[in-house]
Structures are given as structure tokens and as C-alpha cells.
Amino acid sequence: MAIKGTKVYRLYPDATMSHVLDQWCDYRRYCYNKALETWNATYTEYRMTVSPEIIAELKKPKKERQFTKEQELFISNYYPTAALIQKKLTASKQSWEKQISSRILQQACADLGKSFKKFAKDKATKAKHGAGRPKFQSKKEKRQGFKLNQGVVLSAWNDHGRLTLPIPQSYKGEWHSIKISEPPEKAKMGTVSFYREHGRYYMAVPYTYENPSRVHAETGRKTGVDVNVSHFNDEDGAHYFLHKNGSGKWDKNIGAVKLDKIYRDIKHQQRIMARKLNENGRIAGRRSKSYQKARIKLQKLNERAHRMQDDAMHKYTTHLVKEYDAICIEDLDVKGMLMSHVASKGVHRALFGRFRDYLKYKCKSAGVKLVIANRFYPSTQRCAVCGNVKKDDEKITLSGNKKHGTKHNEYVCYNKKCPNCNKVVDRDVNAMMNLTFLIDHPKYNKAL
């Protein structure tokens, strides 16, 4: 069974190849914007000259469409497609464009075609959060990049790797190989994406593994994972690896991420930007050099925090996949939680959505069973020992329970038949046990 996975490498180009990568990133944006401009003009011309008969046929399913030769010729010349736009841009190429790989233009047109297909499909199906109409790309965006589907050569060299880009036929300058952060995988590659972010260069390589090595050895263990703003709970206990005041309670080999200083620096830099933006009560200074320097510094701090969080999340999800044969997590309404003013910033920093995405693809590749609990399953309100579910004024809220005077992190079961009756239990541990219960009892995976 073939498994697909993408690996990201950092590139370390010299001055010559940095200039080449920058030029190719700019050229890709130029091609995309030029293709979008041509697409819009072609579609406007098509709408002005198309006959009602062709429109009627296009509304039918593909298998039922019947066109005359003249209609087919008209559609091929006027109806905008990625191939037609690429043909027009190739015919109007300037001399300086011939010194850059033509595959960048091909991939830019292909990406634009996919974007319009997605837009048309979502519009036809009236998708709630569908793709919008493709827009022109700005040179001010922090990420600039391009794609190559052929000619990329990766090789191992000492403890890292080497990248060789395809040399354009008309190019006459120097050309060097580029050092990459680690040796490449021995697997089939797909279309490679290159991008520049905050002055650093990266390469994302999609691999297809025909005979993947299983990273998971059966342990006979299973766990539920209860996610909170400050920590994650599983069978091994509570892990504060993403909390801003991480105290090192997470595994020593992985470490705790102490983000407090980063968050304080971000807050300080935001205040500096706010002062530079306002002058005498008026908004000003957006284009001043000092404001742009402050903006770049803030971007770098946010990027650093993002990388620290991402690294910790990868290590934690990999730990779960290696240690457990079955895992159960909650289906949280993250968007609704972000609307709350109580803990919206904490929810954003806790990476609930990214945790689920990472765990899903890692479980799939390793053959680990992943159970997604129903959004309305009362993992917090249900007693893990007797199964009693709290309702109405018995429920635990963010402020605890006013009727019994318990705190928000305490769970007390008042069922007299329960062995834990009137005993104070940690609410997160109780929720984790309820999620673990669902792995072997899927019939309870519903609103109770």
C-alpha cells in the first residue's frame, strides 16, 4: 500500500543561487498575475461572442453534451482554460523570460486553472465556506514561491543533501548546487514547491512511499486525549509543553516549550507599532522606514513562536502514535470557541485544529486507530466510573458549579450508587477516561 507524505527542507543557497531563487519567486508571481489578467480578458470576450446554443449545451452533464465542429473550434479558442492561457503567454514571451525555467509558467497557469475550477464547483454547489474568485498576488506577502514538476535533482552529501535546479537553455551565468538541511528520502517525488519566508528558503517535497516502514510497534495501550488551553491530558498525565509558562513536566527527551518570553516580546513590539502608527491622534506612519522595521521584527517574532509551537506539536503527536495502538480525541467547535472573549487567545495558541490534523495523518500512515468523539458527547459531564451524566444546574461550566460550589477543574459525582460518590476528581482526567471508554464502546459515541 503506497502512502503519501510531504517533507520540508531548509535550503542554504550562496549569493548567486539566492538571486536565482528570488528571481524565480518574482517571476512566478508575475506569471500568475499575467495569467489571471489574460483569463479575465478572455472570459469577457467569450461572454460577448458566445451563442445561446453553446451555453445551453454547457449546462448539460459532460456525457450529454454535443457540439458541432464550429462550436468546438470556438470553445477551444475563446473559452478560458489553463492550456489556452499558457499558450497565449508562451506566444507573447519576452527575451528576459527565456532565461528563466519555462516550467514556472506552466505550473502558475495550472494552479490558476485549479483555482477557477474550485471556485466554479463551490459556487455551483453553494458551499458554505467555498473558495473565492482568484485574486492577484502581491509582492508584499510574506511568502513567495514557485513550483517545479521536472528537472529537480536531489542527492545525499555527507550528513545533509544537495539540490540541483534545472538550468534554463538560454541562461549564461554561474550555476551552483544548493545545500539542503538533511539527506533526501529514497522515494518517488511529485511536484516540488519552493518558497521564501523572512529571508529564508525552503523546499517542500511530496513523496510516495511504496513500502513504508511502520513507525508503530504494537504496545497494547490505548488512550483518550483531552485538550485544554494550558495542557493536554492522556494516560501518561498532563503535558504543559505548549503553555507559555511550561514547567518541564513533559518528557525530558522532548522538552517543554517556554513561550512566555516570546509572547512578552510580541506584546512589546505590538505596542511599538501602535505608537508609530498614530501621530497626534491620527493614523500615519504606515510607510515610514521605522514602522516597516518594527513590522518585520514583529513578523519574525510571530514566526519564531509558530515554529516553536509546531515543533512541540509534531513531537507530541509522534509520541502518541508510537506509544498507543488506539487514540480518541474530541471534535471541538474551534471557531465557536474563538468567538468567546474569555479564552480566545489561549485557544488560538493551543493549536487544537493543528493537533487534530497532525494526528490524523500520522495515525493513517502508522496504522494506528483514531476515534473522533461526537461533538455532543458529554466527556466533561459524564462520570467515568458509573456513567452518570450531569444535566441542567448540575453541569460543570468554565466557572465551576454554583449549586455545589465546586471549581471548574473539579468533577464530583453525586450518584449514591457510584463508588466515587462525593469524591473530588480532576475534571480533565475524568474527561480523558471517558474518551478512552469510547474506543471499545463506539455505540456511546453520541449525545447522551
Side-chain angles (χ1 to χ4, degrees):
M1 178 184 174
I3 292 178
K4 295 182 179 180
T6 302
K7 196 161 189 176
V8 178
Y9 302 89
R10 184 174 173 187
L11 308 181
Y12 299 92
D14 56 19
T16 301
M17 297 312 294
S18 293
H19 175 72
V20 170
L21 291 172
D22 289 339
Q23 189 182 34
W24 287 18
C25 287
D26 293 340
Y27 181 60
R28 195 270 177 188
R29 185 182 66 252
Y30 167 82
C31 290
Y32 187 90
N33 291 342
K34 193 73 176 176
L36 180 54
E37 181 186 359
T38 308
W39 187 296
N40 291 336
T42 305
Y43 184 72
T44 302
E45 187 178 0
Y46 163 78
R47 291 293 296 174
M48 291 174 65
T49 55
V50 67
S51 64
E53 291 80 8
I54 294 178
I55 295 177
E57 287 295 325
L58 287 172
K59 289 181 179 180
K60 296 179 182 179
K62 283 188 177 181
K63 295 181 180 180
E64 299 178 9
R65 295 174 186 173
Q66 293 182 351
F67 297 106
T68 64
K69 290 184 178 181
E70 293 180 355
Q71 290 174 339
E72 288 179 354
L73 182 62
F74 174 84
I75 291 172
S76 63
N77 290 333
Y78 290 97
Y79 188 76
T81 60
L84 177 62
I85 301 303
Q86 181 185 328
K87 184 179 178 181
K88 288 187 175 185
L89 293 184
T90 304
S92 61
K93 260 190 175 183
Q94 301 179 41
S95 58
W96 62 269
E97 293 183 66
K98 296 178 181 178
Q99 296 192 25
I100 303 175
S101 176
S102 60
R103 296 186 181 92
I104 296 176
L105 172 62
Q106 296 170 9
Q107 290 299 311
C109 293
D111 289 343
L112 181 63
K114 290 176 184 176
S115 298
F116 267 107
K117 280 185 179 179
K118 183 74 169 63
F119 166 66
K121 182 181 178 182
D122 290 347
K123 188 177 179 181
T125 57
K126 296 181 179 180
K128 189 176 180 180
H129 301 289
R133 188 179 182 84
K135 298 179 181 179
F136 290 100
Q137 296 183 348
S138 171
K139 66 179 181 180
K140 294 183 180 179
E141 292 177 6
K142 68 175 184 178
R143 176 177 289 195
Q144 304 284 343
F146 61 92
K147 294 180 182 178
L148 295 174
N149 60 346
Q150 292 179 6
V152 178
V153 179
L154 298 178
S155 57
W157 193 72
N158 293 339
D159 59 340
H160 52 268
R162 284 281 176 182
L163 160 69
T164 305
L165 293 171
I167 306 175
Q169 195 171 6
S170 303
Y171 186 81
K172 297 180 181 179
E174 292 184 13
W175 202 266
H176 309 139
S177 60
I178 300 173
K179 176 185 173 182
I180 60 178
S181 54
E182 56 184 288
E185 300 283 334
K186 294 180 179 179
K188 185 180 178 181
M189 294 192 306
T191 300
V192 183
S193 299
F194 300 85
Y195 60 95
R196 181 190 67 223
E197 202 169 44
H198 301 307
R200 297 178 179 180
Y201 301 90
Y202 301 92
M203 173 181 65
V205 184
Y207 288 109
T208 302
Y209 302 94
E210 297 296 337
N211 298 306
S213 56
R214 290 174 64 89
V215 297
H216 176 74
E218 292 188 6
T219 60
R221 301 178 68 194
K222 54 193 174 184
T223 185
V225 182
D226 181 60
V227 295
N228 298 276
V229 170
S230 61
H231 61 280
F232 288 59
N233 276 79
D234 58 31
E235 287 286 343
D236 292 331
H239 308 298
Y240 293 80
F241 64 95
L242 275 182
H243 193 238
K244 66 179 182 180
N245 294 319
S247 56
K249 292 185 179 179
W250 176 230
D251 189 277
K252 291 181 181 179
N253 297 323
I254 297 175
V257 179
K258 297 188 178 180
L259 292 162
D260 187 39
K261 186 178 183 302
I262 296 284
Y263 291 152
R264 280 191 278 110
D265 290 345
I266 289 173
K267 189 175 181 180
H268 175 67
Q269 201 62 32
Q270 285 173 335
R271 287 176 176 172
I272 291 176
M273 282 188 65
R275 286 198 296 269
K276 292 181 182 296
L277 188 61
N278 290 279
E279 286 184 7
N280 299 324
R282 296 181 179 180
I283 295 177
R286 283 179 183 265
R287 296 182 182 179
S288 67
K289 289 184 178 179
S290 61
Y291 178 85
Q292 295 303 328
K293 287 180 181 178
R295 181 180 62 83
I296 292 170
K297 193 171 182 180
L298 179 62
Q299 285 181 347
K300 289 183 177 180
L301 286 170
N302 281 314
E303 185 67 20
R304 187 181 175 194
H306 167 79
R307 294 192 184 284
M308 291 172 70
Q309 291 170 329
D310 201 53
D311 179 65
M313 186 58 72
H314 269 299
K315 288 176 178 176
Y316 179 59
T317 49
T318 300
H319 164 78
L320 289 175
V321 169
K322 285 184 177 180
E323 292 295 323
Y324 300 100
D325 295 340
I327 303 168
C328 180
I329 60 175
E330 297 171 288
D331 179 20
L332 297 174
D333 181 16
V334 179
K335 190 173 181 180
M337 295 168 74
L338 288 171
M339 298 297 288
S340 169
H341 69 282
V342 179
S344 58
K345 186 182 288 187
V347 171
H348 181 75
R349 289 173 174 175
L351 310 179
F352 292 160
R354 199 181 305 175
F355 168 70
R356 176 173 172 171
D357 291 341
Y358 286 178
L359 199 60
K360 279 179 73 175
Y361 88 79
K362 288 183 181 182
C363 286
K364 183 179 179 182
S365 62
V368 174
K369 181 181 178 182
L370 179 64
V371 178
I372 307 294
N374 188 292
R375 181 168 293 186
F376 301 103
Y377 174 69
S379 59
T380 305
Q381 310 299 335
R382 181 182 181 274
C383 177
V385 178
C386 68
N388 181 56
V389 179
K390 292 181 178 291
K391 294 182 179 180
D392 301 326
D393 58 350
E394 297 282 340
K395 282 187 174 182
I396 304 173
T397 63
L398 291 175
S399 57
N401 183 270
K402 293 183 179 179
K403 180 180 178 180
H404 299 285
T406 55
K407 298 180 181 179
H408 72 282
N409 61 341
E410 296 177 345
Y411 185 93
V412 181
C413 182
Y414 298 103
N415 181 12
K416 295 181 179 179
K417 296 181 179 179
C418 178
N420 278 356
C421 181
N422 291 323
K423 290 184 180 179
V424 179
V425 181
D426 188 286
R427 185 198 66 177
D428 299 329
V429 174
N430 181 73
M432 180 272 297
M433 293 173 66
N434 281 323
L435 292 172
T436 308
F437 172 78
L438 286 183
I439 296 174
D440 295 328
H441 303 86
K443 65 180 182 179
Y444 292 102
N445 193 2
K446 59 183 180 181
L448 302 176

